[in-house]
Amino acid sequence: MTNAFELLATPTPPAEPADAERVAWEAYGIEGNARRLAGERDANFCIASAEGPFTLKIANRAEESLDVVAAALEHIARVAPDLPVPRVRRTRENGRLGSVQLGGVQHLVVMVDFLAGTPLPAGSSDRGLRRDLAGLLASLDRSLQGFFHHLSGRPLLWDLSRVGELRPLVGHLPAERRSFVELALDRFETTVTPVLPSLRWQAVHHDFNPDNLLVDSAGHLVGIIDFGDLVHGSLVADPAVAASYQCFGEDPLEVIPDFIASYHRHQPLTSEEVGLVPDLVAGRFLQSLLIGAWRAASHPDNRDYILAHTEYSWEALQRLTHHDPDQRADLVRRACGFAPVHRPRVDTDEALAHRRRRFGGVLNLSYDQPVRLARGEGVWLYDTEGHAYLDAYNNVPHVGHARPEVVTALSEQAARLTTNTRYLVDEVLDYADRLAALLPPELSVVLFTNSGSEANDLAFRMARAVTGQLGIVITDFAYHGTTIATDATSPEEHLRAGAEAWVATVPAPASPAIHHYAAAFDAAVATLAGSGHRPAAFICDSVFSSDGIFDLPPAYLREGYASIRTAGGLCIADEVQAGLGRVGERFWGFAIDGVVPDIVTLGKPIGNGHPMAAVVTTPAIAEAFAAREHFFSTFAGSPVAARVGMAVLDVLEREQLPAQAGRVGGYLRGLLGDLARRDPRIGEVRGPGLFIGVEMVERDAQPDPRMAEAVQNAMRRRRILIGRTGPGRNVLKIRPPLVFEETHADLLAETLGQVLAEIG
Ligand code: PMP
């Protein structure tokens, strides 16, 4: 049997009207004049004859299953004679099919009545007509319930159960659409593909689109044509395909529930089936986009025509994807009279009071109007009402929210084994190897922890054990964690007077820049000495995320490291924020200044949300620490974490996300720079890769925290999430997942422009 791609890749038969007239006569005894009709893969003709007009289809030479179409039409004529489908004209030998030789190749042929009427113009249906269409399709599907043909399971690319097979075509799409489409394909494969085989299957028309529906001059439906995509498929796929063509230019979430409910009234569906419809509709858009892009590439003469149609699918897919998947499924369920499956919403005020009771006053919420989240996908977050928010703030979902590869790795391993580092587990060693290979060769010992705070705490313990000294040097407004030791090195959190005597600070490379870094570090060492301490370590977040976000200036770390090492201390790069490709292809923040730290701490992004972190150091430091102290942490270094970490690195490498972070970060800084040039309220735009700070200032370049807060909240109201940082709380913090693309940057910058204009 031919494969699914071959059928669409094989050219239409080289048949001329004269060939059609010959076949009509020789095979069917019909004498008439042939006129060419349109067709995706076959040669179709209208034969005008004394017995009335006929449609003659000379099938593509790769088509071996034409009998499915003829047999289905005969079946419908028998069981539902009122349905307006063409009747099959039998051959002179009373066969359902004829055949013809063209250029030495045999082609199957079918002849049916030519139905009068004109195709329904796309996008012309009103609600009433749409409901009629749904009723008609329900009747058609009911008539096909008892139809069986041994070839109806043939491979067809337009078969909705085969959407996943289209992935190799993604490369034909414009580059800026690929990752969006990949994500949509991932979603289809995780939510639809596994479920479809357990639903009701039967013969379905599978192409109930306006081009295949004929109306008379009064607008009444008078014909259903083109049964060429009829397959054995899930019943619900049929109304889903039909609904997809009704969405063009409309809100899919208005059209789909109404269409499916109308169908359901005539041909009842189950709650599970209707809940799947929005994802099936998305699957049809994916088919149109991908098959369209592929065919446009192989038919350059017809490219504009093919691509004009796919634009509709692109637009509709985006609109559909902006709604929360659970909410949209429940919307269709509710329209059909089923109970929603997902949790009913609790009033936000009630949720806030609940939170206050249960969490005390300890935890803060972001934004003046808190965001009530239900789920995430890629760079998008969805609230409980189904609104989509562009996430330009969260760096933990490094390779995208709910990244399927990560979720799969996590759940597979959780289903197999999770344990601790007192056992030999290959996955954990493999992951440690992989992490170490990404760092300078000196840093080859990897110890896992559960959080960035614990990683920094362990780094401090190591530094103290190895140097025999106690002091820690930090930047002025640093943040390094929540343990007693790391909290003491996090002035961002408390700014309390009288820091611990073993803590000394150096300025971050603020603007106007400090120039004599060595002197600043020597001064911090002297401060420690004043209270009887020597430095065990200098720890630095390489993007200065709490100090206000700065590009690491040349020599800052080099001079700082030299000064601290002279005083006998170690140098720790806290890469919890900067690491793993966020700064671009240099991969680590510290690498920008060409230094090699003694210890590197990793966290947040390495687990894409799974709680895991790591300390990487030299064998000498590890040995010296092990000679004095012990370390074990129950959950740290579990095989689940290792598989998750591996999956993150796989995606990062396969999709070259560090390069993307560099490129998109540069692009976004460019857009923000343009805004800054036009608007004096914006000061500096700075930061490496996809870690960007936008300073809001008053006229005399003073920090303007009120403006920054107003902008942050106004952006949230327009459903774009950004943060705020810096000692003056005036720096907008933009730090999205690395799957952020230029289109997202455009949306962010455009919205920021609107917000600034609105604030006035
Ligand atoms: N270091 C830096 C630079 C951080 O930003 C953070 C978290 N914001 C931490 C350490 C602590 O990480 P965690 O919250 O995972 O303990």
Side-chain angles (χ1 to χ4, degrees), residues 469 525 534-535 562-569:
Q469 305 182 159
V525 171
R534 292 178 62 78
S563 163
I564 297 296
R565 283 171 175 157
T566 303

Side-chain angles (χ1 to χ4, degrees), residues 406-585:
V406 178
V407 175
T408 304
L410 186 147
S411 51
E412 268 181 18
Q413 188 60 41
R416 192 176 307 147
L417 170 73
T418 185
T419 182
N420 61 55
T421 48
R422 295 206 201 278
Y423 302 96
L424 273 174
V425 182
D426 293 346
E427 283 83 355
V428 181
L429 278 171
D430 290 346
Y431 177 53
D433 284 351
R434 182 98 178 262
L435 264 188
L438 291 166
L439 282 152
E442 295 87 333
L443 299 168
S444 60
V445 174
V446 181
L447 294 166
F448 294 111
T449 63
N450 308 289
S451 69
S453 304
E454 289 169 67
N456 285 336
D457 199 270
L458 177 60
F460 291 175
R461 280 178 59 195
M462 286 176 152
R464 286 173 172 177
V466 169
T467 63
Q469 305 182 159
L470 217 60
I472 305 285
V473 177
I474 57 172
T475 54
D476 274 338
F477 204 64
Y479 181 85
H480 293 293
T482 58
T483 65
I484 289 184
T486 55
D487 180 59
T489 54
S490 297
E492 185 202 26
E493 281 300 285
H494 26 71
L495 281 178
R496 64 168 180 255
E500 299 285 353
W502 49 268
V503 176
T505 62
V506 288
S511 182
I514 55 164
H515 293 297
H516 300 292
Y517 306 124
F521 282 87
D522 290 346
V525 171
T527 305
L528 282 178
S531 47
H533 290 292
R534 292 178 62 78
F538 161 54
I539 183 167
C540 185
D541 162 3
S542 325
V543 282
F544 307 95
S545 46
S546 48
D547 281 291
I549 306 173
F550 295 98
D551 292 281
L552 185 60
Y556 182 88
L557 287 184
R558 263 177 282 148
E559 291 184 19
Y561 279 21
S563 163
I564 297 296
R565 283 171 175 157
T566 303
L570 302 185
C571 298
I572 305 170
D574 179 339
E575 293 280 327
V576 168
Q577 293 278 350
L580 222 67
R582 176 161 295 275
V583 300
E585 284 177 284

